[in-house]
């Protein structure tokens, strides 16, 4: 994952998928493809692709996944391709008897269509609930919904003013929490968690049952973008609110003082407190394993800009007949919000990812 590996990042989903499949094949790995029921933005085939580097019966398994949030896959796919092309990294994991499972495009639909959500309009990282139980209520979102997804785009001056007034009055953190905290009421809204498991949810569980049931210890790095300072990879603890798991994650990834990892449970993360998170399926599907995970969340642009771009995208999703130039502009804005297309940014991404991967292997092997 040296600087020379910068062509690991792709310009669209189809290219990203081809690079992943080719890099895995060149590394001598089989790729297992889970075909998605819908087509991509250019009509291409969509799939969740899985490559395992290491023994099928390995007791230590590191999962590296991309595109939980579709469009965020521009970053995560690059990390995976660079890792597959990095013989030193691969030898390091092999020498410590850690198998590495690369899951490319958890949400291939969103990656291809430049959406954060799945084809069900669901935020995959809010979709892991026991749907037989009552779902969380997000009163803050309910209050904002009609403003967030207005009838026209760009929004009217009155709409912009109302959103501005909300942020000025309640603060940016409260706005972010209300919008991004997840909601189960408005199927056509933002950060909708769904009312049933999505295709990606069910398919990921199948992958975990196949690959995770023989492991005594599982580590998981799930790559995201869109929160925090540009190029900085925030390491957000992704596990139950359990002291032992947090201590372990701090030992692996927290640095000397353990503060290098943040948590949504104590307010130290740039992410709001969330429920329905994807990592919970590691506990469900691999109950035999000691699980330790994090979301590696890379910063791109300020959060208000991110939320604005997502509002436009939500409008576009409800208006498929929008003028092509406006549609293209909205998609470009969304992509630029979740992926900074510069060599300097990509280099920061790969350097920090490689460190986190090595630390995970050390942690698993300890
Ligand atoms: Zn994300």
């Amino acid at each position: 994952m040296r600087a020379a590996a910068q062509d690991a990042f792709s310009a669209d989903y189809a290219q990203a998928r081809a690079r992943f499949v080719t890099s895995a094949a060149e590394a001598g790995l089989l790729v297992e493809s889970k075909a998605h029921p819908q087509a991509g933005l250019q009509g291409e085939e969509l799939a969740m692709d899985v490559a395992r580097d290491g023994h099928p019966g390995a007791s230590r398994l590191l999962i590296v996944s991309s595109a939980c949030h579709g469009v965020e896959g521009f970053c995560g796919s690059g990390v995976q391709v660079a890792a597959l092309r990095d013989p030193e990294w691969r030898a390091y994991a092999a020498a410590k008897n850690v198998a590495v499972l690369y899951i490319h495009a958890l949400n291939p639909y969103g990656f291809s269509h430049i959406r954060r959500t799945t084809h069900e309009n669901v935020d995959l990282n809010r979709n892991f609930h026991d749907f037989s139980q009552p779902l969380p209520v997000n009163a803050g979102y309910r209050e904002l919904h009609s403003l967030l997804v207005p009838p026209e785009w760009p929004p009217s001056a009155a709409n912009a003013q109302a959103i501005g007034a909300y942020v000025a009055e309640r603060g940016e953190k409260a706005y972010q929490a209300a919008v991004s905290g997840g909601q189960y009421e408005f199927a056509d809204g933002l950060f909708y968690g769904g009312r049933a498991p999505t295709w990606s949810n069910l398919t990921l569980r199948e992958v975990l049952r196949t690959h995770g049931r023989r492991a005594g210890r599982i580590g998981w790095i799930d790559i995201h973008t869109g929160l925090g300072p540009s190029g900085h990879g925030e390491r957000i603890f992704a596990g139950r609110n359990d002291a032992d798991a947090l201590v372990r994650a701090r030992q692996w990834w927290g640095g000397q003082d353990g503060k290098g990892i943040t948590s949504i449970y104590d307010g130290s993360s740039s992410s709001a407190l969330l429920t329905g998170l994807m990592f919970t399926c590691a506990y469900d599907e691999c109950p035999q394993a000691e699980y330790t995970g994090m979301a590696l969340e890379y910063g791109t642009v300020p959060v208000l800009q991110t939320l604005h771009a997502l509002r436009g995208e939500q409008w576009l999703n409800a208006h498929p007949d929008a003028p092509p130039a406006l549609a293209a502009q909205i998609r470009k804005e969304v992509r630029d919000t979740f992926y900074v297309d510069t060599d300097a940014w990509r280099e920061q991404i790969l350097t920090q990812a490689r460190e986190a991967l090595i630390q995970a292997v050390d942690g698993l092997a300890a």
Side-chain angles (χ1 to χ4, degrees):
M1 290 161 82
R2 294 169 296 273
Q6 294 200 334
D7 65 347
F9 293 84
S10 296
D12 58 30
Y13 165 77
Q15 187 179 45
R17 184 181 185 206
R19 283 193 171 148
F20 178 78
V21 169
T22 306
S23 305
E26 283 169 3
L29 310 180
L30 288 174
V31 176
E32 204 183 316
S33 295
K34 308 281 186 188
H36 188 277
Q38 296 200 7
L41 187 61
Q42 314 297 336
E44 77 277 22
E45 192 182 286
L46 301 175
M48 187 189 296
D49 293 301
V50 181
R52 184 184 179 112
D53 194 1
H55 196 275
S59 67
R60 297 172 178 121
L61 180 70
L62 173 63
I63 301 169
V64 183
S65 56
S66 66
C68 168
H69 288 136
V71 62
E72 299 176 17
F74 283 95
C75 172
S77 172
V79 169
Q80 292 174 316
V81 169
L84 285 169
R85 291 177 180 174
D86 181 344
E88 278 171 38
W89 145 250
R90 294 185 57 219
Y92 189 84
K96 298 218 169 186
N97 293 315
V98 174
V100 183
L101 185 71
Y102 299 93
I103 309 179
H104 187 263
L106 290 163
N107 165 15
Y109 179 92
F111 193 166
S112 172
H113 288 260
I114 322 291
R115 299 204 72 197
R116 194 173 164 283
T117 65
T118 67
H119 69 284
E120 299 99 332
N121 189 47
V122 167
D123 179 335
L124 184 56
N125 216 20
R126 310 287 183 276
N127 182 240
F128 288 75
H129 280 285
D130 174 355
F131 288 95
S132 69
Q133 299 296 312
L135 291 163
V137 172
N138 183 343
Y141 184 88
R142 184 185 292 160
E143 186 186 340
L144 281 165
H145 174 72
S146 61
L147 282 176
L148 289 172
V149 191
E152 71 275 305
W153 197 263
S156 67
N159 178 284
Q161 200 172 21
I163 294 275
Y166 185 100
V167 175
E169 201 178 301
R170 322 268 184 105
E172 196 177 299
K173 267 278 181 205
Y175 177 69
Q176 182 191 345
V179 179
S180 74
Q183 55 87 16
Y184 300 84
E185 197 172 346
F186 303 91
D188 60 347
L190 292 162
F191 296 84
Y192 174 60
R195 301 213 180 101
T198 56
W199 177 87
S200 291
N201 177 332
L202 297 172
T203 306
L204 171 60
R205 288 178 185 278
E206 197 182 301
V207 170
L208 293 182
R209 286 194 294 273
T210 304
H211 289 280
R213 289 248 165 117
R214 278 158 293 173
R217 308 188 82 191
I218 294 178
W220 190 350
I221 298 175
D222 186 39
I223 301 161
H224 291 256
T225 60
L227 285 177
S230 180
H232 170 70
E234 180 182 344
R235 298 157 169 213
I236 308 175
F237 174 63
R240 285 182 184 150
N241 195 4
D242 151 8
D244 289 349
L246 182 57
V247 165
R248 217 160 43 236
R250 284 197 203 286
Q251 283 167 350
W252 292 17
W253 292 306
Q256 297 262 310
D257 59 1
K259 288 184 180 159
I261 190 153
T262 62
S263 168
I264 58 170
Y265 302 115
D266 63 10
S268 59
S269 172
S270 66
S271 168
L273 181 62
L274 309 169
T275 63
L277 292 165
M278 186 171 72
F279 70 74
T280 57
C281 69
Y283 297 93
D284 296 343
E285 304 303 336
C286 310
Q288 85 292 343
E290 177 194 80
Y291 160 77
T292 313
M294 72 146 155
L296 184 50
E297 172 77 68
Y298 289 106
T300 51
V301 300
V303 68
L304 290 184
Q305 196 178 326
T306 304
L307 296 177
H308 183 80
L310 288 174
R311 293 175 58 210
E313 199 286 320
Q314 194 64 39
W315 176 87
L316 177 61
N317 188 54
H319 296 85
D321 54 347
L326 178 59
Q329 185 197 323
I330 288 172
R331 288 199 183 98
K332 181 178 184 325
E333 210 175 305
V334 174
R335 202 212 62 157
D336 291 350
T337 290
F338 290 99
Y339 177 65
V340 180
D341 193 2
T342 66
D343 285 343
W345 190 81
R346 283 185 283 265
E347 203 163 308
Q348 281 176 285
I349 299 323
L350 292 186
T351 305
Q352 293 167 85
R354 193 176 203 273
E355 183 190 39
L357 290 172
I358 298 264
Q359 288 169 335
V361 163
D362 289 344
L364 281 164

